Amino acid sequence: APEVRTSRARATMVEARPGEVWIGTLGQGIVAVDAASGRTRRLLHQPMAAASLPDNSVRGLLRDRQGLVWAATYGGLSRIDPRTGALLAVSGVRLGADGGRVRADYSALLAHADGRVWMGTHVDGIEIVDPARGTVQALRPDTTRPERALQADVVMSLVADDAGSVYVGSYRGLYRASADGRRVGRLHWPGRRPDAGVGPLLRDGRQLWVGGLTDGLWTLDLASGRARAVLAEPARQLTDLRITALARTADGALWIG
């Protein structure tokens, strides 16, 4: 088992370009760190500037095949060229489940192996964008089918397995969606309520680390579907039972925020 380390830092990270890491924060925008020198700079929301982050709370960062960084914020979606700093596109509104225009509160991002980008929202499920074709499909919530549809609550994390299925961490539990984005089901295992909130997910080979929002850390074997609690006494071993970040380091340690 890996060594477990805890931290109060809550962030999402991506290597935006070789030697530069971008850290998304909840309230302070993006911090770009030069790995060699340690120097930092910030990308912030500028209320009077059209080309800036839509919001300073950054919930997701990913780098696509073209080298552009997607930033999911509570105020919309940005695509940024890390080589020039140019903000190439911003979405501050989107179509809601009822067809109306709503605030684009994206909360999670996933670059799928098929080239599409999955985007989790606060209350409207998941949108799946094909940048090459310019098409969008959606997994919308349905409160009448809690086991076979997402619920109208925050999608916190998105992780794909080798077969392309996507695991969805949400305030209403852990779901698995089909690779084509057309079917979804909620996962159950002994010892945990199926509707208990899930924060970060971390894929580690055939193992999926699952950060609970109220009950500590779990691990799910992706081959067998078996899950177990990792910590014997999470209330004592963690500074907070609400897990918001997970990361593995080169030395095998698991960091928990």
Side-chain angles (χ1 to χ4, degrees):
E3 177 188 357
V4 175
R5 300 172 183 170
T6 63
S7 168
R8 292 186 181 273
R10 299 175 182 179
T12 177
M13 294 185 292
V14 69
E15 186 177 34
R17 56 180 177 171
E20 185 171 85
V21 175
W22 287 12
I23 303 170
T25 71
L26 296 180
Q28 299 180 51
I30 297 172
V31 180
V33 182
D34 184 286
S37 67
R39 289 193 298 268
T40 63
R41 57 188 177 86
R42 288 187 183 273
L43 288 74
L44 296 167
H45 171 60
Q46 306 286 347
M48 302 303 293
S52 74
L53 283 179
D55 190 90
N56 282 328
S57 289
V58 180
R59 279 294 310 154
L61 292 170
L62 72 81
R63 186 171 181 263
D64 67 18
R65 294 176 178 179
Q66 288 73 46
L68 302 179
V69 174
W70 296 58
T73 81
Y74 287 166
L77 183 70
S78 297
R79 294 174 72 196
I80 308 165
D81 187 337
R83 294 161 296 188
T84 64
L87 194 70
L88 302 184
V90 176
S91 172
V93 295
R94 58 178 172 79
L95 292 180
D98 60 0
R101 292 172 70 83
V102 297
R103 176 182 167 97
D105 47 1
Y106 294 106
S107 50
L109 294 173
L110 169 68
H112 199 275
D114 65 9
R116 297 186 299 170
V117 177
W118 291 49
M119 306 183 299
T121 74
H122 273 211
V123 295
D124 278 327
I126 295 170
E127 295 176 355
I128 306 170
V129 176
D130 187 328
R133 298 181 180 178
T135 58
V136 181
Q137 73 178 79
L139 276 169
R140 295 300 186 197
D142 183 347
T143 57
T144 67
R145 300 190 304 127
E147 300 304 316
R148 293 298 174 187
L150 298 173
Q151 299 302 285
D153 216 327
V154 181
V155 173
M156 292 290 291
S157 50
L158 299 163
V159 170
D161 65 15
D162 288 339
S165 297
V166 175
Y167 290 81
V168 182
S170 80
Y171 277 16
R172 301 299 181 93
L174 180 64
Y175 288 80
R176 181 172 56 225
S178 60
D180 61 8
R182 299 187 184 280
R183 298 176 305 281
V184 66
R186 186 154 62 184
L187 300 184
H188 294 239
W189 63 76
R192 190 173 201 268
R193 289 193 354 258
D195 63 348
V198 171
L201 299 172
L202 178 65
R203 168 99 185 270
D204 188 9
R206 54 178 280 175
Q207 181 174 238
L208 183 70
W209 297 94
V210 180
L213 293 178
T214 59
D215 56 356
L217 183 65
W218 299 76
T219 183
L220 174 69
D221 186 290
L222 296 176
S224 68
R226 289 192 295 270
R228 65 178 179 84
V230 175
L231 305 175
E233 300 178 75
R236 182 182 63 81
Q237 294 170 277
L238 299 172
T239 56
D240 191 334
L241 286 175
R242 180 182 54 195
I243 295 177
T244 59
L246 293 170
R248 287 292 295 267
T249 59
D251 62 2
L254 176 70
W255 284 79
I256 305 172

